[in-house]
Structures are given as C-alpha cells and as structure tokens.
Amino acid sequence: MKEFVGKTQSQGVKIGVVVSRFNEMITEGLLAGALSTLKEAGIVDEAITLVRVPGSFEIPLAAQRLAQTGTFEAIVCLGAVIRGETPHFDYICLQASNGLREVALKYDLPVTFGIITADTVEQALARAGEERNKGSEAATSAVEMANLMKDLEANGK
C-alpha cells in the first residue's frame, strides 16, 4: 500500500496570498499568522506574492488570476465576514467558498480557505490572534497540499 502525506516544510514552493482589506483589524492578524507560518516552513519572501483586495467577495477572482499564471504551487486566501442584521453574510460566505472551490478544481491547485465566518467581532478576533490563528492554519495547509500534489504528480510519472 502506498500512502501519501504532504510535508509542512518546503523550499522552492511559490505561494500566492490573497487578503481582504475589509475587517482589516482581523485580516491583518490572519496575514501576520500566515506569513509567519510560511517563513517557519522555509518559504522565503521572494517566493510569496501578496495581493490585497477590497473584501471577501473579491478574493476568488484574485485567486483565479494568480492561478491562471501557473506560477504558484498554492494560494492562501484570507478574509473575515461577520454576521450582521441582514442575510448579506450568507451570500458573501457562500460566494467566497464556492468561488475558491471552483478555482482549486479548475486549476488543480491548492487554494486554502482562511476566511473567518463569525457571528461577532470577538469570535473573529479570537481566530486571528497569536494562540489560534486561522491564517496560520491556512498557510500550513497550503504548504502541505503543495507538497502533496508534487508527490502525487511524481508518483504518476
């Protein structure tokens, strides 16, 4: 039996990072966690491309544009959507998640979902801090999946 598990350390992997500016007090924490994790994983600054977009709704389009280049082994997507008094939250969350899934499948590329979907600002801040950071988790998944995809491709040849 062959078993494949992606490694969380890597050199030579190019990563795209898309981050929303909306709810910036939260997304900047996610970004700090993601960048710190990527550096710990052995990814150098020159191998990271950072793209800032207005909000979470725009993240899939930017991720798709990065994917189209064929330059990146994974894309980390970071944002924060906080429930309000209208159904707007549901529409944004659904479109962001569906859009990122489509990009990943269309381009056969790991696209990680580091978009916090929370009921309150406090919940979102708790997931963007130093102890529990969804940006860091998304970056770890991106590196692991990039390595796994390389291993699976090499095994198929």
Side-chain angles (χ1 to χ4, degrees), residues 102-118:
E102 287 179 23
V103 172
L105 295 176
K106 180 178 180 179
Y107 292 95
D108 195 29
L109 183 70
V111 177
T112 61
F113 191 83
I115 300 174
I116 293 174
T117 56

Side-chain angles (χ1 to χ4, degrees), residues 15-18 34 38 59 63 73-79 96 100-101 103-104 109-115 134-146:
I15 303 284
V17 178
V18 181
L38 291 173
I59 292 172
E73 279 83 19
I75 301 171
V76 178
C77 299
L78 307 170
L100 294 180
R101 182 205 59 208
V103 172
L109 183 70
V111 177
T112 61
F113 191 83
I115 300 174
K134 293 296 181 182
S136 176
E137 292 175 13
T140 298
S141 294
V143 173
E144 182 175 340
M145 288 300 295

Side-chain angles (χ1 to χ4, degrees), residues 15-35 38 48-64 66 74-81 96 100 111-116 128 133-136 138:
I15 303 284
V17 178
V18 181
V19 62
S20 165
R21 291 190 316 268
F22 195 76
N23 289 319
E24 193 170 39
M25 66 181 176
I26 297 160
T27 61
E28 285 301 310
L30 294 173
L31 178 60
L35 293 176
L38 291 173
I48 301 170
T49 297
L50 176 62
V51 177
R52 294 181 185 270
V53 297
S56 291
F57 187 80
E58 292 79 21
I59 292 172
L61 180 59
Q64 178 174 279
L66 290 176
I75 301 171
V76 178
C77 299
L78 307 170
V81 184
L100 294 180
V111 177
T112 61
F113 191 83
I115 300 174
I116 293 174
N133 190 296
K134 293 296 181 182
S136 176

